[in-house]
Amino acid sequence: MKFLLVVLLSVAFFTTSFAQTKVGDTKKGQSSYYADKFHGRKTANGERFNMYAFTCAHRKLPFDTYLKVTNLKNKKWIVVRVNDRGPFKSQRILDLSKGAAVKIDMINDGIADVEIEILYTNGQGTKVKEGTFGGPNQKITTADVKKPKKTTTKSSKPKKSSGSYGAPGTYSIWGTSKTIKNGYGIQMASYKDVKTAVDAGKLANKKGLTEIYIQAGYSKNKKIYRLLYGDFSEENAKKNVQKVKSKGYKGAFVKKHL
């Protein structure tokens, strides 16, 4: 009986000592990802799940905790935000959105050995832009840190909502404002109204072009909604033009993101 009590106390101590609770804590384990079946459904914090966004599900960490997730196989990493609960298989510690899983090349494997590090939680630490990613020798820089929102008592201009497709701006086809990292996309088409652009973006998704953006801007003083694929360097954008053309967008060309 004494031996059993010692073992139980040791297990309890180990679990408590190595639980992830504060900024800088790390933990290794397996991660899976979730996608199409859950796309558009409500997450545990009330948001709609967007499989192209950079979010994750964790069993215990507070919502809006920011994590750096590293694929231990290739050392590629991605910054994600906790907005859901899971995974529901005990041997896994994290469920990534498909968008995040793509960035660390774990789609083919389905499950990856990862290390997760807390960057921000419970008002402490540093909020790094979701989707910030890198390789083995790359580090998070000050340019990747989210700037705090300016607090003003009065404003003469109305605030732009994330789902308004306000111009100028770049958005997902679900209306989420997007931060562009590399600078160039491939324009597939342009439209006078946003609904047509959104429907066209969903159709492009079905054709296998998963990273679709709607760029709201102006042409000859009239609002226009451009449909762009990808976020590339200028060189890589040129290399992907033919891929887009092969999907039926014969007039595709390289376009700089806003």
Side-chain angles (χ1 to χ4, degrees), residues 91-247:
Q91 69 270 33
R92 299 176 192 169
I93 61 172
L94 203 67
D95 261 344
L96 289 171
S97 64
K98 184 178 180 179
V102 167
K103 292 294 186 183
I104 60 173
D105 287 345
M106 62 169 281
I107 295 295
N108 290 336
D109 294 331
I111 298 170
D113 291 322
V114 299
E115 179 180 79
I116 57 178
E117 177 187 353
I118 296 178
L119 302 177
Y120 176 92
T121 191
N122 286 324
Q124 302 295 318
T126 303
K127 283 186 179 181
V128 178
K129 298 171 187 174
E130 299 113 282
T132 300
F133 66 97
N137 300 315
Q138 292 176 292
K139 295 182 179 180
I140 294 170
T141 68
T142 53
D144 300 319
V145 176
K146 278 190 170 184
K147 294 180 180 179
K149 293 180 180 179
K150 293 180 180 179
T151 55
T152 54
T153 53
K154 290 184 180 180
S155 176
S156 58
K157 295 182 180 179
K159 292 181 179 179
K160 190 189 295 181
S161 65
S162 61
S164 67
Y165 295 99
T170 302
Y171 304 85
S172 71
I173 59 175
W174 311 104
T176 308
S177 181
K178 303 297 289 185
T179 300
I180 299 303
K181 188 176 180 68
N182 296 307
Y184 290 84
I186 300 164
Q187 183 168 323
M188 298 143 52
S190 61
Y191 305 92
K192 292 180 180 179
D193 69 280
V194 70
K195 185 180 184 305
T196 305
V198 169
D199 290 342
K202 291 178 180 178
L203 179 61
N205 272 172
K206 292 179 181 178
K207 292 182 178 181
L209 299 173
T210 55
E211 194 176 356
I212 297 295
Y213 299 91
I214 292 178
Q215 185 189 94
Y218 291 93
S219 177
K220 297 180 180 178
N221 296 321
K222 291 184 179 180
K223 202 168 184 181
I224 192 170
Y225 301 93
R226 301 180 180 95
L227 201 64
L228 272 69
Y229 167 68
D231 176 18
F232 308 101
S233 65
E234 187 174 11
E235 181 182 352
N236 285 333
K238 291 176 181 177
K239 291 178 182 178
N240 278 274
V241 169
Q242 191 55 45
K243 173 184 175 180
V244 176
K245 287 184 176 181
S246 71
K247 300 293 183 180

Side-chain angles (χ1 to χ4, degrees), residues 15-58:
T15 303
T16 303
S17 299
F18 290 89
Q20 267 192 307
T21 58
K22 64 184 185 300
V23 174
D25 282 350
T26 61
K27 189 173 184 178
K28 293 180 180 179
Q30 287 190 328
S31 175
S32 49
Y33 72 90
Y34 59 133
D36 308 74
K37 181 180 176 181
F38 302 94
H39 191 62
R41 292 188 185 182
K42 276 192 175 182
T43 61
N45 78 340
E47 297 177 9
R48 293 285 179 185
F49 174 61
N50 179 358
M51 67 180 185
Y52 305 112
F54 303 105
T55 57
C56 69
H58 192 281

